[in-house]
Amino acid sequence: MTGRPDFIGTGEPARLIPVVADTNKEQRAASIFLAALRSVFEFRKAMLGSLSIRVGSRATLDAWTEITFHQDKNAKAEKKKQDRPDGLLILNTGKKQWRALIEAKIDNAEIDETQLKEYIQQAKQHKIDAVITISNQFVALPTHHPIKLPKNLTKGVDLYHWSWSYIRTQASLLTEDGAIESPDQRFIIDEVLRYLAHKTSGIAGFSSMNREWKDVVGKVKSKSTLSKGSEEVENTVSSWHQEQRDLCLILSRKLAQPVSLKLSRAHRTDPVKRLHDDAENLVRDKTLICKLEIPNAAADLVVTADLSTRTIFCGMWLAAPQDKKSTSARVHWLTRQLAKTNPQNMYIKAFRKGHAEDTQKPLSEVLEDASVLDATNSNSAPTGFEVFYMVDLAGKFSGNQVFIRELEEAVPHFYEQAGERLRAWVAPPPKMKRKESAGTSGKDESERREVIGIDDTDLNRPGLGGTSNS
């Protein structure tokens, strides 16, 4: 590790086993995390890679905790403590450096806007490239942030956010994939994971909707008016966005594969637009929706919370096989995949073109008789199917914590019972045309020879169906 930078007044190297007071959980968690980044190449490559920062095998990373800046020496002690970042990262590539301030929060503590603005100003003053915040708050992407700041304020400084659950998930994926080559470094990550998973660490997943959730659900039930620009609607959508990210992390750990949110390009680059668009959707349709991308799955997993019916839906949509003509044949193609699925609260919906009716039945009935999905007003076969799991929560739907708990049970259950069994239809490969029949006329054969450029004398040459005279 190189010496302390000139612009730093005080600061300690990040330690895997920090000696701090038992009450200072933030400092302990930040030190352990930063030390793990410095110690394990694959871990820092994954974490910094999420910020589009390339980490080469020859690059080195220095990590400091509880830093102060030189100009803070004459500041009041109270202000000095308040404005002291939890850490500093310096990535040395040989030709240049990339620097980032770290601010970490634990338990229910959230990122403070005033404090964040101060760190951004300090970063600008000392030519630090980025400010990274870490807390139990969730965002869709590390480039999004829980605090909405004007773009002119962050000009010249990149602002990023990691949730502790995201950090834990990235470490878990590395161990599950066997991506860490060194046994000693694997041991370090295993110990860090053990710490992050322990209840005393202060690391938590998203466990409760916003405080206005019950009122919003009540207004939908009573058909009262919701305003897309109101605080209660925006807070509800913001909570939903955090829960979406938590669902991705939960599935990622269970599947040992990176599960991500499927977002439009506009929503990936502009979290404010995403918030406003989803708020408009909630007011208009009374639903909260997200799409999860699972590697090699047959389709995106769509999760819908319907405030009108107070139900949770988890489903996948598949195109019907085009090489099968009848409804029963297409339905049998699907039910063969779901033969071992627990049918409780599982449904299949068949979609058809034009004015032909869509049909929906419980999976248990479809497994017994494929004809239950026949349309009464048309003989047309389905063009696609939706397989979905429905949880009717009734009065429990408005419970801030109950809703999250039921949702986080429903999504993995649907994927285990149905999602991982489903396979998308793939068109069969084309078949060769049959050979000419034995009754091909001499005229046809003569025309064939003319087309491919051979005459009767050629037929005696080896390799063209003739015999050799030698």
Side-chain angles (χ1 to χ4, degrees), residues 5 37 50 69 81 85 103 137 176 206 294 299 302 306 308 323 368 377 399 431 446 464:
L37 281 182
S50 71
F69 298 98
K81 182 178 179 181
E103 173 60 14
Q137 295 164 273
E176 293 287 348
F206 189 73
I294 301 172
V302 181
D306 191 324
S308 297
D323 59 341
E368 291 183 4
N377 67 342
K431 296 181 179 180
S446 177
L464 285 176

Side-chain angles (χ1 to χ4, degrees), residues 1-14:
M1 187 164 177
T2 59
R4 200 162 56 204
D6 294 338
F7 59 87
I8 297 300
T10 61
E12 290 293 324

Side-chain angles (χ1 to χ4, degrees), residues 343-392:
Q344 185 175 5
N345 296 327
M346 291 280 186
Y347 296 82
I348 295 181
K349 186 172 184 178
F351 295 88
R352 293 175 173 83
K353 290 183 178 179
H355 297 291
E357 67 173 333
D358 299 334
T359 52
Q360 176 181 310
K361 291 293 180 180
L363 175 59
S364 57
E365 295 183 20
V366 181
L367 289 172
E368 291 183 4
D369 182 5
S371 67
V372 297
L373 286 177
D374 289 345
T376 58
N377 67 342
S378 172
N379 291 325
S380 62
T383 57
F385 298 101
E386 182 181 20
V387 181
F388 67 93
Y389 176 63
M390 183 178 70
V391 182
D392 186 351

Side-chain angles (χ1 to χ4, degrees), residues 206 239-248 404 407-408:
F206 189 73
S239 291
W240 176 247
H241 286 176
Q242 294 188 61
E243 173 56 16
Q244 289 179 30
R245 188 58 185 161
D246 202 20
L247 285 173
C248 286
I404 296 297
L407 181 65
E408 292 182 355

Side-chain angles (χ1 to χ4, degrees), residues 2 12 46 55 66 82 97 103 126 133 159 173 183 200 223 270 290 322 324 355-356 401 410 426 451 456-457 466 469:
T2 59
E12 290 293 324
V55 181
E66 296 296 297
Q82 178 185 353
Q97 288 186 342
E103 173 60 14
H126 298 288
T133 58
L159 182 60
L173 292 176
T200 60
K223 301 188 184 307
D270 191 346
C290 74
Q322 299 302 300
K324 302 181 185 304
H355 297 291
Q401 295 184 15
V426 178
V451 169
D456 291 341
T457 60
N469 294 323

